[in-house]
Amino acid sequence: MDFEKMLVARIGKLRRYAWKLAQNPTLADDLVQETLLKAWRNRQSFTEGTNIDAWLNAILRNSFFSQYRRSKLIDVDSDSLALARAESSAGQEAAIMINECGKSIDGLPGPQREALLLVTVEGATYEEAANKMGCSTGTIKSRINRARSRLAAETQPPS
């Protein structure tokens, strides 16, 4: 398969991953576009036969963190996120719970949030998540454990 077809075939996956990182559809689309552009410009550095998904995810993730460091504007636009969640068929209480959960997850440090979403939402194994994030399986397990502990602490009622 030629490189262009491989890129086009992965746009949907990139969009889902970008949404999980950015939590904003506009930023997610910008991340995907930037990822595809960088991948196209650097296609000669891709080794055929290796995992193109991991390569593209690394480009997208690095672009996300670069944008975050540059602008500090990756925070969720609460109005657009609330609107997007309100459009779902869930009842009002469910929408409130989803919104609160989303805010808690958004408050996690980027690597913890990414690891948690890869494993719990996207269904990746620890090994797949480690491969996508370019770290060891133990690091993924640690990040997920810290993320879950932090989320649990936030949902505990005060003593």
Side-chain angles (χ1 to χ4, degrees):
M1 182 183 293
D2 72 342
F3 190 79
E4 181 180 358
K5 288 181 181 176
M6 289 192 306
L7 285 181
V8 170
R10 284 156 178 85
I11 290 174
K13 284 183 180 181
L14 287 172
R15 281 190 174 141
R16 286 189 299 276
Y17 187 48
W19 167 254
K20 290 172 190 170
L21 287 176
Q23 293 291 302
N24 179 304
T26 303
L27 292 176
D29 285 343
D30 290 346
L31 278 171
V32 171
Q33 184 175 357
E34 184 175 349
T35 300
L36 293 171
L37 182 62
K38 286 180 178 180
W40 185 256
R41 285 182 181 157
N42 296 297
R43 63 188 176 273
Q44 71 283 353
S45 69
F46 175 70
T47 306
E48 200 158 327
T50 59
N51 188 344
I52 192 167
D53 290 323
W55 186 68
L56 291 170
N57 284 339
I59 294 170
L60 191 142
R61 184 178 60 251
N62 291 340
S63 296
F64 170 77
F65 287 120
S66 292
Q67 283 183 10
Y68 179 79
R69 282 190 296 273
R70 270 195 312 266
S71 68
K72 302 288 184 190
L73 294 176
I74 298 298
D75 292 337
V76 175
D77 174 0
S78 59
D79 292 336
S80 65
L81 183 58
L83 178 61
R85 288 188 175 140
E87 290 173 355
S88 72
S89 61
Q92 195 170 18
E93 289 179 17
I96 290 169
M97 289 174 56
I98 290 170
N99 193 28
E100 289 174 1
C101 181
K103 285 180 183 178
S104 295
I105 291 171
D106 294 341
L108 292 171
Q112 288 179 17
R113 180 179 61 239
E114 181 181 6
L116 181 70
L117 291 174
L118 278 171
V119 172
T120 60
V121 175
E122 202 167 295
T125 64
Y126 290 127
E127 293 78 17
E128 290 168 340
N131 188 28
K132 283 184 179 182
M133 293 185 69
C135 60
S136 72
T137 303
T139 300
I140 292 296
K141 289 179 180 180
S142 176
R143 288 176 180 172
I144 291 171
N145 184 49
R146 287 193 309 269
R148 287 178 175 160
S149 295
R150 184 171 171 173
L151 292 172
E154 289 179 11
T155 60
Q156 295 297 319
S159 312

